[in-house]
């Protein structure tokens, strides 16, 4: 399992191409040949870049959902809306499709942020706003998620 580290600022060109920073490209190198899946985030106005192996593991979980339950079908449809297979080209660029650029409101300045086994792709202003908004109650969130009852699960 891969665990990405770091937050990187870069630029998107007019066609939606983003040159991956060398440090991130190095972390992605073990999975570059397999390709990636790019999708809309469920909770934030950003995109999520899944290495194909991580995506396939997630799809195995989703494939266990009972498709005769309407909310399961609705979830699968919404979760996979706009999903694209993408690759990093020989020059180290990632092409973000126009519909996904629109969803994430990506302008020119882009932030690539590690999120354990995926990379989030943000418009820089949206990223900074999300970090600022989350800073207000991060201590409470950290305690709720990482403290107390969850200790057994994290060991």
């Amino acid at each position: 399992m891969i665990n990405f580290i770091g937050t990187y600022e870069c630029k998107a060109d007019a066609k939606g191409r983003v040159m991956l920073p060398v440090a991130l490209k190095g972390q992605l190198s073990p999975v570059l040949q397999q390709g990636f899946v790019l999708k809309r985030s469920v909770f934030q106005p950003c995109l999520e870049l899944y290495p194909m192996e991580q995506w396939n593991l997630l799809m195995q979980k989703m494939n266990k959902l009972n498709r005769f339950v309407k909310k399961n079908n609705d979830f699968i449809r919404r979760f996979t809306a706009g999903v694209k297979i993408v690759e990093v080209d020989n020059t180290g660029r990632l092409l973000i499709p126009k519909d996904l650029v629109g969803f994430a409101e990506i302008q020119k300045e882009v932030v690539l942020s590690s999120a354990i086994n995926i990379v989030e792709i943000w418009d820089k202003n949206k990223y900074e706003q999300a970090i600022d908004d989350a800073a207000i109650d991060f201590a409470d969130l950290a305690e709720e998620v990482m403290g107390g009852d969850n200790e057994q699960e994290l060991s």
Side-chain angles (χ1 to χ4, degrees), residues 86-143:
V86 295
E87 295 178 351
V88 175
D89 70 15
N90 291 336
T91 61
R93 294 179 305 186
L94 176 69
L95 174 63
I96 302 172
K98 288 209 180 296
D99 62 320
L100 295 178
V101 167
F103 170 81
E105 299 179 31
I106 292 173
Q107 303 298 312
K108 189 169 183 72
E109 303 290 325
V110 176
V111 172
L112 304 177
S113 179
S114 61
I116 305 176
N117 59 349
I118 66 170
V119 175
E120 293 180 340
I121 302 173
W122 290 81
D123 173 76
K124 183 179 179 187
N125 292 330
K126 296 272 183 203
Y127 178 77
E128 289 174 355
Q129 180 181 354
I131 293 298
D132 289 346
D133 292 348
I136 295 166
D137 55 6
F138 184 68
D140 291 338
L141 178 64
E143 181 179 10

Side-chain angles (χ1 to χ4, degrees), residues 38-49:
L38 188 61
K39 69 171 290 300
R40 303 169 187 181
S41 174
V42 173
F43 300 108
Q44 298 289 340
C46 70
L47 304 175
E48 297 171 340
L49 183 69

Side-chain angles (χ1 to χ4, degrees), residues 62-78:
M62 289 184 65
N63 200 33
K64 294 176 183 173
L65 294 173
N66 183 344
R67 299 292 300 257
F68 287 96
V69 175
K70 184 182 182 315
K71 69 180 175 182
N72 291 352
N73 261 339
D74 292 346
F75 171 76
I76 291 167
R77 185 177 312 105
R78 294 285 305 273

Side-chain angles (χ1 to χ4, degrees), residues 50 53-63 79:
Y50 286 78
E53 182 180 353
Q54 295 300 315
W55 180 256
N56 289 336
L57 289 172
L58 183 57
M59 290 300 99
Q60 285 175 8
K61 281 184 180 179
M62 289 184 65
N63 200 33
F79 187 82

